[in-house]
Amino acid sequence: MLVGESEVMRELRTRIGRIARTSFTVLVEGESGAGKELVAREIHTRSPRHRGPFIAVNCAAIVDTLVEAELFGIEERTATGVRGRRGKFELADQGTLFLDEVADLSLTAQAKLLRVLQDMTVERVGSTGLQSIDTRVIAATNRSLHAMVTGGQFRADLYYRLSGVEIVVPPLRDRRSDIPLLIDHFLRRHSRTTEVTIASAAREALTVYNWPGNVRQLARVLERAIALAAGPQITLADLPDAVRHEYREVQAGAGDCDDSLRGWCSRYVRLVLERCGGNKRRACDVLNISYHTLQAYLEYPYRPTRRRLAHENREAAS
């Protein structure tokens, strides 16, 4: 389930809907934990193949010598003690095969994959015949395949075969307005076993954090907080130090240099804008405020906290 109502998520859903109507091979790119498999499942669910199987394969976990057997199958009695079985391509016939971390395949395995994508036929290990398949392939990677092609680590012909239709999954830091929705989603998921709420300060801290591990990291942090919370509410103290760090800068400012609510909000807006790479429209989306309101907070006299001022002075001295 893709959770989020930010502009980038609405655009992503629109793109998914258009791609789902086709049977073309798709390349899904994005950072680790951003939700590439969720996107692949959404494409499958909204496609004419939704009644067929969805088979997910982690290419990084397949030993190179077993790639053919895992993906294409193996015939009975090919070797002593070996039982015949269908490969992942056959298992996904009439459905979708999701090849996660396709960049981790060896060059030899890439050549074998290219042959199957070109002909849509597989040859089981130990067989002399070809088996036709009707399988849609969605590949995913958290690395730049284009850069890997340049470096000789990925076959150019396979890259061009995979990259005809691309989807880029945005990192969580680029859609911060979705974080409260994701928090509520994960809390509801665990409500069957543990009834828990979250304090406003903890919610704000989760929104400020930069999330290098994306949605997956957010889910794990909430699981940790639920497990360690002393009561039925997650508080700021229940979050890891790494998550609390950025929030301290904002929270400390209220009593550090200016007690006014406007001054506190001005510092918070500047922090979010910095996290958005200076993109004001993205910051407005994250903060759920108008462009005019954002400008008003930015025009308010900037008075850094003592901690921030000391940090800026150290940087200037160095």
Side-chain angles (χ1 to χ4, degrees), residues 227-264:
L228 298 180
Q233 185 179 65
I234 296 172
T235 66
L236 196 61
D238 298 318
L239 302 180
D241 287 340
V243 176
R244 296 199 302 260
H245 177 73
E246 293 297 334
Y247 185 66
R248 291 194 191 108
E249 177 69 29
V250 178
Q251 192 178 35
D256 213 17
C257 64
D258 190 338
D259 288 329
S260 73
L261 177 62
R262 190 176 179 85
W264 189 93

Side-chain angles (χ1 to χ4, degrees), residues 176-177 179-180 183 202-209 211 268 286:
R176 291 180 188 274
S177 60
I179 293 178
I183 292 172
R203 186 183 290 269
E204 286 291 333
L206 292 172
T207 304
V208 169
Y209 187 56
W211 297 111
Y268 181 60
V286 170

Side-chain angles (χ1 to χ4, degrees), residues 37-293:
E37 183 170 345
L38 285 177
V39 168
R41 288 184 180 276
E42 187 76 6
I43 293 173
H44 172 74
T45 300
R46 297 172 64 175
S47 75
R49 298 172 176 266
H50 67 277
R51 296 185 184 277
F54 178 91
I55 305 296
V57 179
N58 183 356
C59 296
I62 303 178
V63 180
D64 192 43
T65 54
L66 299 178
V67 167
E68 282 189 277
E70 287 294 318
L71 295 183
F72 314 137
I74 187 169
E75 286 293 329
E76 189 80 24
R77 300 194 182 102
T78 298
T80 304
V82 173
R83 299 181 59 184
R85 66 178 185 274
R86 294 187 295 167
K88 296 298 191 292
F89 270 93
E90 286 188 69
L91 292 173
D93 192 41
Q94 303 295 316
T96 302
L97 177 63
F98 176 58
L99 299 176
D100 196 13
E101 305 305 342
V102 70
D104 289 326
L105 288 175
S106 67
L107 291 173
T108 301
Q110 292 172 30
K112 296 172 182 176
L113 175 60
L114 176 63
R115 184 191 65 211
V116 174
L117 293 178
Q118 288 174 335
D119 303 333
M120 277 294 128
T121 58
V122 294
E123 181 180 347
R124 293 182 183 179
V125 176
S127 173
T128 57
L130 296 175
Q131 175 75 34
S132 296
I133 53 171
D134 179 16
T135 303
R136 180 181 199 167
V137 174
I138 301 178
T141 177
N142 61 5
R143 301 159 69 183
S144 170
L145 293 189
H146 184 269
M148 292 182 68
V149 169
T150 303
Q153 300 167 298
F154 201 85
R155 290 179 62 103
D157 46 7
L158 179 58
Y159 168 67
Y160 294 126
R161 182 72 186 182
L162 293 174
S163 63
V165 180
E166 296 175 314
I167 288 184
V168 178
V169 184
L172 189 54
R173 61 182 174 275
D174 286 351
R175 55 185 189 102
R176 291 180 188 274
S177 60
D178 292 332
I179 293 178
L181 299 177
L182 286 164
I183 292 172
D184 293 337
H185 169 73
F186 290 128
L187 292 183
R188 283 194 301 270
R189 176 187 290 180
H190 297 292
S191 63
R192 296 179 182 177
T193 56
T194 307
E195 284 291 340
V196 64
T197 59
I198 184 166
S200 58
R203 186 183 290 269
E204 286 291 333
L206 292 172
T207 304
V208 169
Y209 187 56
N210 207 36
W211 297 111
N214 293 292
V215 179
R216 184 187 295 132
Q217 184 187 9
L218 173 61
R220 299 292 86 79
V221 165
L222 285 171
E223 288 176 1
R224 174 189 183 275
I226 292 171
L228 298 180
Q233 185 179 65
I234 296 172
T235 66
L236 196 61
D238 298 318
L239 302 180
D241 287 340
V243 176
R244 296 199 302 260
H245 177 73
E246 293 297 334
Y247 185 66
R248 291 194 191 108
E249 177 69 29
V250 178
Q251 192 178 35
D256 213 17
C257 64
D258 190 338
D259 288 329
S260 73
L261 177 62
R262 190 176 179 85
W264 189 93
C265 290
S266 175
R267 285 187 294 277
Y268 181 60
V269 165
R270 292 175 190 277
L271 176 61
V272 172
L273 182 61
E274 180 182 334
R275 285 298 190 191
C276 292
N279 188 317
K280 293 183 179 180
R281 297 202 177 277
R282 185 183 298 168
C284 288
D285 184 43
V286 170
L287 295 163
N288 195 25
I289 60 177
S290 68
Y291 189 84
H292 175 77
T293 302

